[in-house]
Amino acid sequence: MTTPYLSLANRFVCDIPRYEAGRPVEEVARRYRLDPQRIIKLASNENALGPSPRAVEAMRVALKEMHRYPDGGVFYLRRDLAKQLGVTPEHLVFGCGSNEIIELLFHAFVAPGDEVVVGDRAFVIYKFLCTTFQARCVEVPFREQTHDLRAMRTAISPRTKLVFIANPNNPTGTRVSNEELDWFVRQLPSHVICVLDEAYVEFLDDPPPSVGYALSHRVVLLRTFSKIVGLAGLRIGYGIAQPSCIELLERVRQPFNVSAVAQVGARAALRDRAHIRRTVAMTRAGMRFLTDEFRRLGLEFIPSVANFVMVNVHDGDRVFERLQRRGIIVRPMRAYGMPQWIRVTIGRPQENRAFVRALRSELNGEA
Ligand SMILES: *Cc1c(COP(=O)(O)O)cnc(C)c1O
């Protein structure tokens, strides 16, 4: 007889939804008996150029020391990154992806019954963590496909602890204007922490002065090595905030939450400016190509400033499934309440062309 664990579990655990990640290449290859080498994954906003070659080389060398625990204080990466950002090392905290920093913020600041304000089409992880931490998630409807900061300000109550703004947002690819953000940050009540999730900020050509906000206001920035430098598999991200906040986050993390390989790889990637420039250029060109093709196909899309774009294909689940059979993985958007839509990551030029070809023949009902 199997043991039923359900009766032993914390009640709220059953309410936590499962995060539906982009399908891994190997899984799709097994399921549809496809050659993994030929599968095109445009499902998780990864960097289609691959990781920075300089990061790969630095990590290869570091592998010989893997019998050692990592530096729990992340000394060298912290020093280099602080210098690049114009902050002190005490303004930074590192995590197993920036997703871990989100969790650390809940650990440090959110108690059961507290309120957390999010946009209704913002990155879903914020909402999921509210369930885990038994907080009340106050969902504010998006306006024109982006965060409605005025409405979010109105939603703040005396019980509000955190307000999340993903800028640019995933999955919509939209941003808030620098003026609106400035207004929001300046009138933030003193009992509220504004979390600016900037996973895609490096793709903006006029980013907000957010590091300045983190230094002088109750604002925490979340950044990641998963997108712009192409190290999603390594799991490393960071937070920027005033030292009094960082100090609290440091208390609630595990001692070795960032691996030694990740520290070395991230540090080398920071210096690889050429790889970052190539990534931005490829993304811009790919975005132009895809949106031109969507127009030609008469498909509605949400103009995006990130490295992915949402397009209305009328039946997102079906198109997702059909493209997958052809070896192209995208993301259906039902989980975000947009079942007609898919989200597609900008790939390399030949990947984008293959996606458009497959999409066109699907929409024309060709086998
Ligand atoms: C991809 C992404 C992240 C980063 O996640 P990591 O844990 O750093 O890989 C954070 N926020 C948003 C909105 C994202 O899309």
Side-chain angles (χ1 to χ4, degrees):
M1 201 183 104
T2 55
T3 316
Y5 280 84
L6 189 60
S7 60
L8 305 177
N10 289 321
R11 287 260 303 282
F12 63 85
V13 173
C14 306
D15 299 331
I16 303 172
R18 293 282 200 100
Y19 178 68
E20 287 230 27
R23 290 256 170 89
V25 168
E26 293 293 341
E27 186 185 320
V28 172
R30 282 195 301 275
R31 184 185 298 199
Y32 296 100
R33 298 173 184 279
L34 299 170
D35 173 5
Q37 298 294 328
R38 303 196 48 184
I39 289 180
I40 296 173
K41 186 182 177 201
L42 303 174
S44 301
N45 306 340
E46 293 150 342
N47 187 330
L49 279 186
S52 149
R54 288 176 66 167
V56 173
E57 179 53 25
M59 292 189 287
R60 201 183 57 76
V61 173
L63 287 179
K64 293 195 286 273
E65 294 298 318
M66 281 311 114
H67 56 303
R68 307 279 183 213
Y69 276 101
D71 170 9
V74 194
F75 181 84
Y76 293 107
L77 173 61
R78 183 184 296 276
R79 188 189 61 184
D80 290 2
L81 186 58
K83 183 148 181 267
Q84 188 175 106
L85 293 167
V87 301
T88 77
E90 291 72 36
H91 284 94
L92 299 174
V93 62
F94 294 87
C96 176
S98 57
N99 272 311
E100 188 188 10
I101 316 283
I102 304 175
E103 191 169 343
L104 299 184
L105 285 162
F106 275 84
H107 271 299
F109 297 109
V110 180
D114 284 349
E115 292 179 4
V116 174
V117 175
V118 305
D120 69 343
R121 282 179 186 165
F123 193 44
V124 287
I125 298 294
Y126 319 138
K127 187 162 54 171
F128 287 10
L129 281 168
C130 286
T131 311
T132 308
F133 286 85
Q134 298 170 271
R136 199 165 91 77
C137 186
V138 178
E139 287 188 75
V140 178
F142 263 32
R143 207 169 66 92
E144 291 169 9
Q145 305 294 359
T146 193
H147 289 85
D148 183 346
L149 294 189
R150 300 220 167 240
M152 289 178 82
R153 174 64 186 85
T154 307
I156 290 174
S157 84
R159 292 227 63 174
T160 305
K161 282 294 185 61
L162 305 177
V163 178
F164 282 94
I165 303 169
N167 190 44
N169 181 53
N170 173 12
T172 54
T174 48
R175 65 176 297 178
V176 294
S177 76
N178 290 350
E179 294 72 31
E180 283 174 289
L181 186 62
D182 196 76
W183 168 80
F184 188 83
V185 166
R186 286 179 195 287
Q187 54 63 65
L188 207 59
S190 62
H191 67 287
V192 177
I193 299 167
C194 174
V195 185
L196 279 185
D197 186 339
E198 297 193 322
Y200 305 95
V201 77
E202 297 89 349
F203 292 99
L204 296 179
D205 45 27
D206 58 337
S210 48
V211 174
Y213 297 147
L215 295 178
S216 54
H217 292 76
R218 258 199 201 88
V219 170
V220 178
L221 306 187
L222 305 178
R223 303 249 179 113
T224 182
F225 291 92
S226 296
K227 310 287 161 54
I228 187 74
V229 299
L231 294 173
L234 208 51
R235 310 306 304 130
I236 176 165
Y238 59 99
I240 312 172
Q242 292 174 27
S244 62
C245 173
I246 297 294
E247 209 260 334
L248 295 165
L249 300 180
E250 290 285 349
R251 283 170 192 264
V252 293
R253 71 169 174 85
Q254 294 291 316
F256 303 111
N257 63 329
V258 178
S259 79
V261 191
Q263 295 183 30
V264 168
R267 189 169 170 229
L270 270 188
R271 280 186 249 137
D272 195 346
R273 307 307 299 176
H275 183 260
I276 292 173
R277 271 197 306 276
R278 277 197 293 274
T279 300
V280 171
M282 175 196 73
T283 305
R284 296 251 159 90
M287 184 68 80
R288 227 172 300 124
F289 170 77
L290 283 189
T291 51
D292 283 349
E293 292 294 327
F294 293 156
R295 279 194 201 94
R296 204 164 304 168
L297 290 165
L299 298 175
E300 178 190 8
F301 62 91
I302 302 176
S304 165
V305 292
N307 68 341
F308 54 86
V309 56
M310 280 182 68
V311 56
N312 184 339
V313 293
H314 314 303
D315 184 345
D317 291 334
R318 180 169 177 280
V319 170
F320 160 69
E321 204 58 46
R322 302 287 304 176
L323 289 177
Q324 207 164 225
R325 281 171 202 281
R326 296 171 181 258
I328 296 174
I329 318 173
V330 297
R331 200 72 160 268
M333 286 287 113
R334 178 177 296 283
Y336 283 88
M338 300 175 80
Q340 298 186 311
W341 299 71
I342 57 171
R343 189 196 68 197
V344 54
T345 304
I346 308 302
R348 283 176 283 125
Q350 64 272 32
E351 295 176 319
N352 299 333
R353 282 195 295 272
F355 161 72
V356 168
R357 256 196 319 275
L359 179 65
R360 187 184 300 121
S361 53
E362 271 317 319
L363 296 173
N364 292 340
E366 294 161 21

